[in-house]
Amino acid sequence: MEEDKKQQEPNNASKFIKIKKFPFILGIVLLIFVTAGITAIALSFGDEKVQSFAPIAANQREEFDKLYSTYDTIKNKYYKEVDDNTLINGAINGMLESLDDPYSDYMNEAEAKSFHQSISSSFEGIGAEIQEQDSRIMVVSPIKGSPAEKAGIKPNDIILSVNGKSLHGMSSSEAVTHIRGKKGTKVELMISRGNASEPIKITIIRDTIPIETVYAEMLPEGIAKVQVTSFSDNTAKDLRTALEDMEAKGMKGLILDLRGNPGGLLDQAMEISSMFIPDGEVILQVEDRAGKKEVIKSENNGELKKPMVVLIDKGSASASEIVAAAVSEAAGIKLIGEKSFGKGTVQTAEDFKDGSNFKYTAAKWLTPKGNWIHKKGIKPDNAVALPSYANLLYISPEKELKQSSSSAEVKSAEAMLKAIGLDPGNVDGFFDQETKAAVTKFQKDHKLKATGTIKGSTTMKLMEQLREKILQNDTQVKKAADVLKKEIK
C-alpha cells in the first residue's frame, strides 16, 4: 500500500464520489504486524485523513483556565522539572481517554510514525489485530498465515503482558510499540483466554507480514471460495482478478469468506459491496452527531450474477460488517457462521506539526435498512460453529508435558491428539500411560524423537496437525457449500 493512501478510483469517475466527504478509518484496530505489528500498526485512512486547525489562545476560552492553571503550577512548583511536551501530550491523551472510546486515541511521535508506516506493502511483526477494551488489549483477529496465527493466537484473546511488561491501561497505539519488533526477533506474550484458570505464555518469532488480502480456491462441484482478510488499497482490484480466475475455472457459485476480517478502507468496502448489490440500492448510511445521514448507493456493473453466500464470525468487524450487512439487506445474500464483532463507528485522524497525531470517532454507520450494529454484531442466517477442537487452549512449546503431570495444557494436548485420530485415553488433563503411548506414536509417525513427552518440535507439529484438521473439517464452509448447491440446482 502507498503511504499517501489515495482513494482508489473506480471504472467510472463519479463512482462513490460521496465517500470522499468522509475521511474515515474503518480498520477496527491496529495491525500488529509488528515491525510494527494490526504492526505493523495498521489502521486505514480515507482520502482526506489530515485536517488543519489553529491553536486556541488561553485568554479566548474560559474553560481552559483550569488547564493552564494546572500547567503553570506544575511548571513552577512541582518538585522537579517537567518537559513541556510531556505535559501537553498528557493533557491531550487525557481528553481522549475521558471519551471512554477505544477507537479514539492519541499517538506520540513514535506511535504516529508506526501508524503511518503501516500504510505500505508489508510489515515486520507478529500479524495480529488488536484493540483496547476496558483498559485491556484484546486481539480482534490474527492475520491469515501470520506468526500469530501459527502460534495459536485467537480472536478475543487478552494480551496481559509483553516480555514481562504489563499492558494494562495502555492504548492500542502504545501497546503496539511494545509488541512490534524486527523480523527474526522473539516476543513473549502472556495471554488470557476465556475461562482458562492460568495465563498462557506464547512465544512468537516476528516475521515479515505481506499485505495480501485476497485468497481464492476452487472447491468441488464448481464452488469457489474467496477469502478477503482485510480491506487495503488493492483489495477490490484483487478480488475482481480472483473472481475472473474462478469464472475461467468454471465457477457456479461463490463463498465470500469474511471470517477474521477486522476491516480496512471504506472505499474498498464500498466498491466490493457494489459488486454484489443491484444498481441504485443502498450500501450503507453514515450518520453524524447532528443526525444527518449520508446515503451511499451501489453502482453495480453486473459483475457477478452467480449464487453467493457470505461467511462471518466474531472476528469479522467494521468494514467487513459493512459488506456483510449490505449484501444481506440489499441483495438478500445469506450469511453463514457466527455473529460478527459489532463495530458501527468510523474514525478520522489529524496530524500535529511535531509528527504526533490523534484519531477520534467522527460518525456512526448504519446498515441499508438503518440498523446500528455497534456492540451487537450481525447475526448470520445460518448459525454454524466450528468443531470444538478449533477452540482448544494453546500449548507453549517451551513447557514440557510429561507422564504424571496434570494441567489445562495436558487436557488440551489430549484433545488435540484425539482430534487428529490418536487415542490418549480419557481427556481429563492427567498425563497417564495411555497419553504417553499416543504421544510416542505421534512422534514416530512424524519422524520426531520418540520421547513420549510434549515439548518444542512435538508441540509445534501437534498444533500444526490440528490446524490442518480444522481446515479439512471446516463446518462453516461445508454448510455454505450445501446452501449454494441447492441454489445452483
Side-chain angles (χ1 to χ4, degrees):
M1 292 185 282
E2 298 176 357
E3 289 194 359
D4 196 20
K5 286 312 276 185
K6 293 185 178 179
Q7 187 93 1
Q8 287 289 310
E9 272 307 309
N11 294 332
N12 54 312
S14 65
K15 194 172 185 182
F16 308 124
I17 192 70
K18 292 182 179 179
I19 295 300
K20 293 189 177 183
K21 294 181 181 179
F22 297 96
F24 290 142
I25 300 166
L26 278 177
I28 184 171
V29 282
L30 304 176
L31 268 65
I32 301 183
F33 294 139
V34 198
T35 300
I38 190 166
T39 294
I41 301 184
L43 283 191
S44 343
F45 286 96
D47 192 38
E48 305 169 41
K49 65 177 180 181
V50 179
Q51 302 174 6
S52 62
F53 48 92
I56 301 171
N59 59 5
Q60 293 178 331
R61 302 282 293 273
E62 290 184 4
E63 60 266 37
F64 281 83
D65 288 349
K66 287 172 62 177
L67 178 64
Y68 280 91
S69 175
T70 303
Y71 173 85
D72 290 339
T73 299
I74 293 175
K75 285 294 294 181
N76 297 323
K77 298 181 179 180
Y78 190 63
Y79 82 101
K80 63 180 180 179
E81 290 188 6
V82 181
D83 179 68
D84 287 353
N85 288 332
T86 299
L87 292 176
I88 294 169
N89 292 346
I92 297 170
N93 192 51
M95 280 191 283
L96 289 163
E97 287 187 350
S98 73
L99 299 175
D100 193 25
D101 176 9
Y103 308 112
S104 296
D105 189 22
Y106 171 73
M107 286 171 270
N108 61 32
E109 190 173 350
E111 293 164 351
K113 184 178 179 181
S114 293
F115 182 92
H116 291 301
Q117 285 177 343
S118 69
I119 306 169
S120 64
S121 60
S122 64
F123 308 92
E124 292 180 351
I126 68 170
E129 320 229 3
I130 65 168
Q131 77 162 56
E132 184 273 331
Q133 186 176 78
D134 299 329
S135 298
R136 303 186 302 173
I137 298 301
M138 185 187 76
V139 174
V140 175
S141 182
I143 304 300
K144 181 180 175 67
S146 67
E149 183 190 52
K150 293 175 181 177
I153 296 290
K154 296 184 181 296
N156 296 328
D157 280 353
I158 302 298
I159 305 178
L160 303 174
S161 66
V162 179
N163 292 331
K165 184 174 182 62
S166 172
L167 299 187
H168 184 76
M170 288 189 185
S171 67
S172 298
S173 303
E174 187 178 1
V176 163
T177 64
H178 295 283
I179 300 171
R180 70 181 183 179
K182 293 183 179 180
K183 175 181 177 179
T185 60
K186 182 189 297 185
V187 61
E188 290 186 351
L189 308 180
M190 290 301 293
I191 299 292
S192 173
R193 176 177 298 162
N195 296 320
S197 57
E198 296 182 3
I200 311 160
K201 184 170 76 172
I202 298 181
T203 301
I204 303 176
I205 304 299
R206 301 175 177 105
D207 202 351
T208 300
I209 313 297
I211 307 303
E212 184 177 351
T213 61
V214 178
Y215 301 82
E217 61 178 311
M218 184 62 76
L219 304 179
E221 301 185 51
I223 294 175
K225 184 174 86 72
V226 181
Q227 182 178 13
V228 177
T229 58
S230 65
F231 296 89
S232 61
D233 272 334
N234 297 314
T235 300
K237 177 184 175 182
D238 292 345
L239 178 57
R240 283 194 177 91
T241 300
L243 292 176
E244 289 171 1
D245 182 49
M246 294 295 100
E247 287 271 22
K249 293 180 179 179
M251 176 175 65
K252 296 178 181 178
L254 170 66
I255 299 172
L256 181 65
D257 189 353
L258 299 180
R259 294 176 298 177
N261 182 324
L265 295 176
L266 176 59
D267 68 330
Q268 296 295 295
M270 297 303 93
E271 193 170 347
I272 289 172
S273 296
S274 203
M275 293 181 191
F276 311 117
I277 293 174
D279 184 55
E281 294 293 328
V282 176
I283 292 175
L284 88 158
Q285 305 174 54
V286 179
E287 181 177 330
D288 66 17
R289 63 189 295 174
K292 182 180 178 181
K293 296 177 182 177
E294 184 79 10
V295 177
I296 313 300
K297 295 183 178 181
S298 171
E299 294 189 14
N300 184 288
N301 295 318
E303 294 172 273
L304 184 75
K305 296 180 180 178
K306 300 289 174 65
M308 172 183 170
V309 296
V310 175
L311 292 177
I312 59 173
D313 67 4
K314 58 189 175 182
S316 305
S318 195
S320 60
E321 291 178 294
I322 286 178
V323 175
V327 299
S328 174
E329 292 188 2
I333 292 171
K334 298 293 184 184
L335 305 180
I336 295 172
E338 300 170 314
K339 187 173 73 171
S340 65
F341 182 86
K343 180 180 181 289
T345 58
V346 287
Q347 285 69 43
T348 190
E350 294 187 1
D351 287 349
F352 291 108
K353 290 182 180 180
D354 66 356
S356 62
N357 75 0
F358 71 99
K359 59 182 173 69
Y360 61 95
T361 299
K364 60 184 181 182
W365 67 266
L366 311 175
T367 69
K369 294 183 179 180
N371 297 313
W372 194 36
I373 59 91
H374 196 60
K375 296 184 179 180
K376 301 175 185 176
I378 302 169
K379 292 183 179 179
D381 298 289
N382 293 278
V384 182
L386 290 173
S388 59
Y389 52 76
N391 298 306
L392 288 174
L393 186 69
Y394 171 84
I395 307 171
S396 172
E398 298 181 0
K399 188 169 185 177
E400 184 177 27
L401 307 180
K402 57 185 179 181
Q403 191 169 357
S404 297
S405 61
S406 178
S407 66
E409 288 88 348
V410 170
K411 187 173 183 179
S412 184
E414 290 171 327
M416 290 181 188
L417 289 165
K418 187 172 183 178
I420 62 175
L422 296 173
D423 182 12
N426 294 326
V427 180
D428 54 9
F430 181 68
F431 201 123
D432 56 17
Q433 184 61 43
E434 288 180 285
T435 307
K436 181 178 180 180
V439 171
T440 301
K441 185 177 188 311
F442 174 80
Q443 291 170 326
K444 290 179 179 178
D445 290 345
H446 295 279
K447 298 180 180 180
L448 300 169
K449 187 176 180 180
T451 62
T453 63
I454 301 174
K455 187 180 180 181
S457 57
T458 296
T459 304
M460 296 303 293
K461 177 60 71 172
L462 181 57
M463 291 192 292
E464 177 188 313
Q465 291 297 303
L466 181 69
R467 283 195 297 273
E468 291 182 10
K469 176 71 174 181
I470 294 168
L471 290 175
Q472 293 168 3
N473 189 29
D474 191 327
T475 51
Q476 294 166 344
V477 170
K478 288 182 177 180
K479 178 62 177 180
D482 289 342
V483 171
L484 276 181
K485 288 174 187 176
K486 293 178 183 178
E487 293 188 25
I488 292 171
K489 293 179 180 179

